[in-house]
Amino acid sequence: MKKIILIGKTGSGKTTLCQKLHGKVVEYQKTQTINPFEHAIDTPGEYIENRFYYKALIVTAADADVIVLVQDCTEEDSFFPPSFAAVFPKPIIGIVTKIDLANNKRQVKAAEEHLQIAGAEKLFHTSVSTGKGIEELRKYLELD
């Protein structure tokens, strides 16, 4: 089974996604520090929002098999710099979250573009509330 590290801004859905993938009760909790799950490493949003924490992301990613960039499709902005993923010598995937809350397809497309510019090689679309895309992601990560 692949171990992932989730990177994304505060409120993008990283912790909720980890909870869902690991069959835990989904409840909001602000991640204050790096939070290990059985097959995932959940990182605080501040680690991508503040360049001074990039080193912590790079060091922590050494324990992961796959780097996951998480982008909330309801957010217009992105904290991922162009080619951000190039610093990681591992497969990079992008997850567009909260697709059930998108007002239109343009929001989802914009989130995809943010992830592709950052270097995501493969994209997934998910909604923890509806379960859409979760099974496809689990299969990719071999979490079944």
Side-chain angles (χ1 to χ4, degrees):
M1 293 188 187
K2 296 175 184 163
K3 186 164 193 160
I4 60 174
I5 182 170
L6 289 98
I7 302 170
K9 74 176 268 189
T10 303
S12 62
K14 300 177 304 295
T15 302
T16 305
L17 188 58
C18 278
Q19 292 169 343
K20 184 75 168 181
L21 288 172
H22 287 85
K24 303 212 181 280
V25 173
V26 174
E27 57 185 356
Y28 178 77
Q29 60 184 39
K30 169 68 180 96
T31 302
Q32 300 292 330
T33 61
I34 292 171
N35 187 12
F37 282 76
E38 185 179 359
H39 301 289
I41 304 165
D42 184 16
T43 63
E46 291 83 0
Y47 280 33
I48 191 66
E49 295 165 6
N50 186 332
R51 287 181 168 174
F52 294 109
Y53 290 115
Y54 284 7
K55 290 178 187 173
L57 287 174
I58 294 166
V59 169
T60 305
D63 292 333
D65 301 309
V66 178
I67 310 302
V68 179
L69 306 180
V70 180
Q71 178 71 39
D72 174 354
C73 71
T74 65
E75 292 285 334
E76 290 182 26
D77 61 340
S78 173
F79 280 92
F80 297 116
S83 301
F84 174 73
V87 301
F88 303 102
K90 299 181 182 213
I92 312 293
I93 65 171
I95 299 179
V96 178
T97 57
K98 305 181 186 180
I99 59 170
D100 57 310
L101 302 177
N103 293 327
N104 53 55
K105 291 182 180 181
R106 272 194 335 253
Q107 284 185 305
V108 175
K109 185 68 177 159
E112 290 175 350
E113 289 172 3
H114 288 310
L115 292 168
Q116 289 169 330
I117 290 169
E121 301 157 351
K122 182 170 178 56
L123 298 178
F124 294 87
H125 299 89
T126 64
S127 166
V128 169
S129 346
T130 67
K132 185 167 182 164
I134 301 297
E135 218 31 59
E136 178 188 0
L137 180 60
R138 286 179 65 78
K139 286 180 183 169
Y140 175 80
L141 297 172
E142 301 166 16
L143 294 178
D144 297 356

